[in-house]
Coordinates of all heavy atoms in Angstrom, one line a residue:
G220 N -35.2 -5.3 10.1 CA -35.8 -6.6 10.0 C -35.8 -7.2 8.6 O -36.5 -8.2 8.3
A221 N -35.2 -6.5 7.6 CA -35.2 -7.0 6.2 C -34.5 -8.4 6.1 O -33.5 -8.7 6.7 CB -34.4 -6.0 5.3
A222 N -35.1 -9.2 5.2 CA -34.6 -10.5 5.0 C -33.9 -10.6 3.6 O -33.1 -11.6 3.4 CB -35.7 -11.5 5.0
E223 N -34.0 -9.6 2.8 CA -33.4 -9.6 1.5 C -32.3 -8.6 1.4 O -32.4 -7.5 2.1 CB -34.4 -9.3 0.4 CG -35.5 -10.3 0.2 CD -36.5 -9.9 -0.8 OE1 -37.0 -8.8 -0.8 OE2 -36.9 -10.8 -1.6
E224 N -31.2 -8.9 0.7 CA -30.0 -8.0 0.6 C -30.3 -6.6 0.2 O -29.7 -5.7 0.7 CB -29.0 -8.7 -0.3 CG -27.7 -7.9 -0.4 CD -26.7 -8.6 -1.4 OE1 -26.9 -9.7 -1.7 OE2 -25.8 -7.9 -1.8
D225 N -31.2 -6.5 -0.8 CA -31.4 -5.1 -1.3 C -32.7 -4.5 -0.8 O -33.2 -3.5 -1.4 CB -31.4 -5.1 -2.9 CG -32.6 -6.0 -3.4 OD1 -33.1 -6.8 -2.7 OD2 -32.9 -5.9 -4.6
D226 N -33.2 -5.0 0.3 CA -34.4 -4.4 0.9 C -34.0 -3.2 1.8 O -33.5 -3.4 2.9 CB -35.1 -5.4 1.8 CG -36.5 -4.9 2.3 OD1 -36.9 -3.8 1.9 OD2 -37.2 -5.7 3.0
G227 N -34.2 -2.0 1.3 CA -33.8 -0.8 2.1 C -33.9 0.4 1.2 O -34.6 0.4 0.2
V228 N -33.1 1.4 1.6 CA -33.1 2.7 0.8 C -31.7 3.1 0.5 O -30.8 2.7 1.2 CB -33.9 3.8 1.5 CG1 -35.4 3.4 1.7 CG2 -33.3 4.2 2.8
L229 N -31.6 3.9 -0.5 CA -30.3 4.7 -0.8 C -30.6 6.1 -0.4 O -31.7 6.7 -0.6 CB -29.9 4.6 -2.3 CG -29.5 3.2 -2.8 CD1 -29.2 3.4 -4.3 CD2 -28.4 2.6 -2.1
M230 N -29.5 6.8 0.1 CA -29.6 8.2 0.4 C -28.4 8.9 -0.1 O -27.3 8.4 0.0 CB -29.8 8.4 1.9 CG -31.0 7.8 2.5 SD -31.3 8.4 4.2 CE -29.8 7.9 5.0
A231 N -28.6 10.1 -0.6 CA -27.5 11.0 -1.0 C -27.9 12.4 -1.2 O -29.1 12.6 -1.7 CB -26.9 10.4 -2.4
P232 N -27.1 13.4 -0.9 CA -27.4 14.7 -1.3 C -27.3 14.9 -2.8 O -26.5 14.2 -3.5 CB -26.3 15.6 -0.7 CG -25.7 14.7 0.4 CD -25.8 13.3 -0.1
V233 N -28.2 15.6 -3.4 CA -28.3 15.9 -4.8 C -28.3 17.4 -5.1 O -29.2 18.1 -4.6 CB -29.6 15.2 -5.5 CG1 -29.6 15.6 -7.0 CG2 -29.5 13.7 -5.3
Y234 N -27.3 17.8 -5.9 CA -27.2 19.3 -6.2 C -28.0 19.5 -7.5 O -27.8 18.8 -8.5 CB -25.8 19.7 -6.3 CG -25.6 21.1 -6.8 CD1 -25.9 22.2 -6.0 CD2 -25.1 21.3 -8.1 CE1 -25.7 23.5 -6.5 CE2 -24.9 22.6 -8.6 CZ -25.2 23.7 -7.7 OH -25.0 25.0 -8.2
D235 N -28.8 20.6 -7.5 CA -29.6 21.0 -8.6 C -28.9 22.2 -9.3 O -28.9 23.3 -8.7 CB -31.0 21.3 -8.2 CG -31.9 21.6 -9.4 OD1 -31.5 22.0 -10.5 OD2 -33.2 21.3 -9.3
A236 N -28.3 22.0 -10.4 CA -27.6 23.1 -11.1 C -28.5 24.2 -11.6 O -28.0 25.3 -11.8 CB -26.8 22.5 -12.3
R237 N -29.8 23.9 -11.7 CA -30.7 25.0 -12.1 C -31.0 26.0 -11.0 O -31.2 27.2 -11.3 CB -32.0 24.3 -12.6 CG -31.8 23.5 -13.9 CD -33.0 22.5 -14.1 NE -33.2 21.6 -12.9 CZ -34.0 20.6 -12.9 NH1 -34.7 20.3 -14.0 NH2 -34.1 19.8 -11.9
T238 N -31.1 25.5 -9.8 CA -31.5 26.4 -8.7 C -30.3 26.7 -7.8 O -30.4 27.7 -7.0 CB -32.6 25.7 -7.8 OG1 -32.0 24.5 -7.2 CG2 -33.8 25.3 -8.7
G239 N -29.2 25.9 -7.8 CA -28.1 26.1 -6.9 C -28.4 25.6 -5.5 O -27.6 25.8 -4.6
N240 N -29.5 24.8 -5.4 CA -29.8 24.2 -4.1 C -29.5 22.7 -4.0 O -29.4 22.1 -5.1 CB -31.3 24.5 -3.8 CG -31.6 26.0 -3.7 OD1 -30.9 26.8 -3.2 ND2 -32.8 26.3 -4.2
S241 N -29.5 22.2 -2.8 CA -29.3 20.7 -2.6 C -30.5 20.2 -1.9 O -31.1 20.8 -1.0 CB -28.0 20.5 -1.9 OG -26.9 20.9 -2.6
E242 N -30.8 18.9 -2.2 CA -31.8 18.2 -1.4 C -31.3 16.8 -1.1 O -30.4 16.3 -1.8 CB -33.1 18.0 -2.3 CG -33.9 19.3 -2.6 CD -35.1 19.0 -3.3 OE1 -35.0 18.3 -4.4 OE2 -36.2 19.4 -2.9
L243 N -31.8 16.2 0.0 CA -31.4 14.8 0.3 C -32.5 13.9 -0.4 O -33.6 14.0 -0.1 CB -31.5 14.6 1.8 CG -31.2 13.2 2.3 CD1 -29.8 12.8 2.0 CD2 -31.5 13.0 3.8
Y244 N -32.0 13.1 -1.3 CA -32.8 12.2 -2.0 C -32.8 10.8 -1.3 O -31.8 10.4 -0.8 CB -32.4 12.0 -3.4 CG -32.9 13.0 -4.4 CD1 -32.7 14.4 -4.3 CD2 -33.6 12.6 -5.6 CE1 -33.2 15.3 -5.2 CE2 -34.1 13.5 -6.5 CZ -33.9 14.8 -6.3 OH -34.4 15.7 -7.2
V245 N -34.0 10.2 -1.3 CA -34.1 8.8 -0.8 C -34.7 8.0 -1.9 O -35.8 8.3 -2.4 CB -35.0 8.8 0.4 CG1 -35.1 7.3 1.0 CG2 -34.4 9.7 1.5
W246 N -34.0 6.9 -2.3 CA -34.5 6.0 -3.4 C -34.8 4.6 -2.8 O -34.1 4.2 -1.8 CB -33.4 5.8 -4.4 CG -32.9 7.0 -5.2 CD1 -33.4 7.4 -6.4 CD2 -31.9 7.9 -4.9 NE1 -32.7 8.5 -6.9 CE2 -31.8 8.8 -5.9 CE3 -31.0 8.0 -3.8 CZ2 -30.8 9.9 -5.9 CZ3 -30.1 9.0 -3.7 CH2 -30.0 9.9 -4.8
D247 N -35.8 4.0 -3.4 CA -36.0 2.6 -3.0 C -34.8 1.8 -3.6 O -34.5 1.9 -4.8 CB -37.3 2.1 -3.7 CG -37.7 0.7 -3.2 OD1 -36.8 -0.2 -3.2 OD2 -38.9 0.5 -3.0
A248 N -34.1 1.0 -2.8 CA -32.9 0.3 -3.2 C -33.2 -0.8 -4.2 O -32.3 -1.3 -4.8 CB -32.2 -0.2 -2.0
K249 N -34.4 -1.2 -4.3 CA -34.7 -2.3 -5.2 C -34.8 -1.9 -6.7 O -34.3 -2.5 -7.6 CB -36.1 -3.0 -4.8 CG -35.9 -3.9 -3.6 CD -37.2 -4.7 -3.3 CE -37.0 -5.7 -2.2 NZ -36.1 -6.8 -2.5
D250 N -35.4 -0.7 -6.9 CA -35.6 -0.3 -8.3 C -35.2 1.2 -8.6 O -35.4 1.7 -9.7 CB -37.1 -0.4 -8.7 CG -38.0 0.4 -7.8 OD1 -37.5 1.2 -7.0 OD2 -39.3 0.2 -7.9
L251 N -34.5 1.8 -7.6 CA -34.0 3.2 -7.7 C -35.1 4.2 -8.0 O -34.9 5.3 -8.6 CB -32.9 3.3 -8.8 CG -31.7 2.4 -8.5 CD1 -30.6 2.8 -9.5 CD2 -31.2 2.5 -7.1
R252 N -36.3 3.9 -7.5 CA -37.4 4.9 -7.6 C -37.3 5.9 -6.5 O -37.1 5.5 -5.3 CB -38.8 4.1 -7.5 CG -40.0 5.0 -7.4 CD -41.2 4.1 -7.4 NE -41.1 3.0 -6.4 CZ -41.5 3.1 -5.1 NH1 -42.1 4.3 -4.7 NH2 -41.4 2.1 -4.3
V253 N -37.4 7.2 -6.8 CA -37.3 8.2 -5.8 C -38.6 8.2 -4.9 O -39.7 8.3 -5.4 CB -37.2 9.6 -6.4 CG1 -37.2 10.7 -5.3 CG2 -35.9 9.7 -7.2
I254 N -38.4 8.0 -3.6 CA -39.5 7.9 -2.7 C -39.6 9.1 -1.8 O -40.7 9.3 -1.1 CB -39.5 6.6 -1.9 CG1 -38.2 6.5 -1.1 CG2 -39.7 5.4 -2.8 CD1 -38.2 5.2 -0.2

Side-chain angles (χ1 to χ4, degrees):
E223 297 178 313
E224 180 185 343
D225 62 343
D226 187 4
V228 299
L229 294 181
M230 298 193 301
V233 176
Y234 174 69
D235 189 331
R237 297 163 296 189
T238 65
N240 297 324
S241 298
E242 293 182 306
L243 178 67
Y244 271 57
V245 181
W246 297 266
D247 188 315
K249 285 187 175 292
D250 57 11
L251 300 189
R252 174 175 50 88
V253 176
I254 57 178

